[in-house]
């Protein structure tokens, strides 16, 4: 199958099923909010390869269903012992910058380019991108960010500078999603780390059906500014 060149004057994408074997569907276009949102709604996401925007829809898809998320006893013990402050949507640009620059094992460069940072910061300002961060003595030590559309969360990246900081942010993300009615976390690509947290592979056709079901109705833009435990108490 061919890889499609996107029309810069249209935000439309080819059907995800038309992606080649490794999941690559299209190249080009831009990172305008309308295009990015349309991509995620249709089960597609962008990565950069050099200066080229590449749009992907892999099969199968790595997902975490919030009710299936797994957290080890050691992580829960770490949460009790670490004096981390957890914040929601507080310092998005700092979190995405850290995701881009904190070194990871086996990763020599980042796909989070300056254009990607600006694009997702724009989506944060529109109320679709979100972050959760961990701070220790006022310093950013871990965090994650992604998009929330309808009842789905699309995870983009996470980082840690202190032990378990990113996992603790992911724990708080899952609690927030469960309390607020989100049904699926799109984790995009398979990793052993995501499997350990309860992630599993789902055939693309099933993922697209789940996504369609969870994106009906209100797309729910808005800032995450409240502690989920407080939300839970208010709604009882």
């Amino acid at each position: 199958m061919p890889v499609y060149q996107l029309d810069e004057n249209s935000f439309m994408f080819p059907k995800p099923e038309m992606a080649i074997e490794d999941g690559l569907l299209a190249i080009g276009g831009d990172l305008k909010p309308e295009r990015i949102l349309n991509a995620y709604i249709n089960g597609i996401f962008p990565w950069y390869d050099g200066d080229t925007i590449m749009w992907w829809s892999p099969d199968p898809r790595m997902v975490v269903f919030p009710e299936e998320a797994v957290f080890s006893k050691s992580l829960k013990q770490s949460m009790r012992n670490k004096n981390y402050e957890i914040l929601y949507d507080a310092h998005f640009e700092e979190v995405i910058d850290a995701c881009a620059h904190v070194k990871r094992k086996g990763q020599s460069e980042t796909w989070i380019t300056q254009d990607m940072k600006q694009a997702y910061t724009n989506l944060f300002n529109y109320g679709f991108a979100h972050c959760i961060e961990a701070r220790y003595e006022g310093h950013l030590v871990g965090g994650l960010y992604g998009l929330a559309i309808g009842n789905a969360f699309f995870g983009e990246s996470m980082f840690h500078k202190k032990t378990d900081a990113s996992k603790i942010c992911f724990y708080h993300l899952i609690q927030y999603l469960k309390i607020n009615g989100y049904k699926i976390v799109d984790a995009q690509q398979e990793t052993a780390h995501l499997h350990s947290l309860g992630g599993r592979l789902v055939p693309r056709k099933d993922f697209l059906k789940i996504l369609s079901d969870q994106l009906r109705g209100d797309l729910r833009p808005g800032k995450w500014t409240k502690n989920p435990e407080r939300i839970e108490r208010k709604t009882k």
Side-chain angles (χ1 to χ4, degrees):
M1 288 186 180
V3 173
Y4 289 83
Q5 174 70 51
L6 294 183
D7 181 351
E8 293 188 1
N9 297 316
S10 171
F11 298 139
M12 300 300 293
F13 287 90
K15 293 182 179 180
E17 296 85 355
M18 302 180 79
I20 62 177
E21 186 175 354
D22 65 358
L24 180 60
L25 177 66
I27 62 173
D30 53 42
L31 294 174
K32 291 178 181 177
E34 297 89 344
R35 188 186 300 277
I36 295 177
L37 290 173
N38 191 40
Y40 282 91
I41 287 169
N42 287 282
I44 303 162
F45 59 86
W47 272 352
Y48 261 92
D49 183 7
D51 295 328
T52 303
I53 309 172
M54 309 182 80
W55 302 87
W56 301 78
S57 185
D59 185 17
R61 191 77 157 229
M62 191 71 179
V63 303
V64 181
F65 296 100
E67 298 297 335
E68 297 179 5
V70 175
F71 299 100
S72 66
K73 291 182 180 179
S74 62
L75 178 64
K76 293 177 180 179
Q77 181 67 37
S78 180
M79 290 176 63
R80 288 191 290 269
N81 294 337
K82 305 291 186 186
N83 190 26
Y84 293 156
E85 180 185 15
I86 306 300
L87 301 175
Y88 299 76
D89 281 1
H91 306 95
F92 185 85
E93 292 184 59
E94 189 177 359
V95 170
I96 193 172
D97 191 63
C99 285
H101 291 105
V102 171
K103 299 296 183 182
R104 295 170 176 82
K105 185 177 180 180
Q107 180 178 310
S108 59
E109 59 183 26
T110 182
W111 54 270
I112 306 174
T113 65
Q114 189 59 44
D115 286 346
M116 290 285 274
K117 291 179 191 177
Q118 186 59 59
Y120 285 81
T121 299
N122 290 341
L123 287 164
F124 173 74
N125 292 332
Y126 288 129
F128 287 105
H130 302 278
C131 67
I132 296 179
E133 65 194 80
R135 290 186 172 264
Y136 180 75
E137 296 182 347
H139 299 288
L140 182 65
V141 296
L144 58 82
Y145 79 96
L147 299 185
I149 307 173
N151 292 330
F153 184 82
F154 303 84
E156 284 299 308
S157 187
M158 62 174 62
F159 78 96
H160 71 276
K161 297 180 181 179
K162 280 188 170 291
T163 302
D164 289 337
S166 61
K167 290 182 181 179
I168 290 171
C169 288
F170 186 73
Y171 172 87
H172 283 276
L173 170 69
I174 292 297
Q175 306 317 305
Y176 189 100
L177 297 180
K178 288 165 69 174
I179 289 168
N180 288 282
Y182 292 87
K183 302 301 183 183
I184 188 173
V185 177
D186 172 23
Q188 299 178 350
Q189 298 284 1
E190 180 182 18
T191 67
H193 176 63
L194 288 167
H195 275 295
S196 73
L197 294 171
R200 58 185 169 99
L201 291 172
V202 173
R204 181 171 52 210
K205 63 180 179 61
D206 294 341
F207 170 75
L208 293 174
K209 175 62 168 62
I210 295 168
L211 197 58
S212 176
D213 290 342
Q214 300 308 321
L215 297 182
R216 294 174 180 171
D218 185 9
L219 296 184
R220 302 173 70 183
K223 295 294 174 62
W224 290 359
T225 57
K226 295 181 179 180
N227 184 293
E229 285 78 15
R230 292 178 184 172
I231 294 175
E232 184 178 33
R233 285 199 294 271
K234 286 179 67 176
T235 57
K236 285 182 177 178

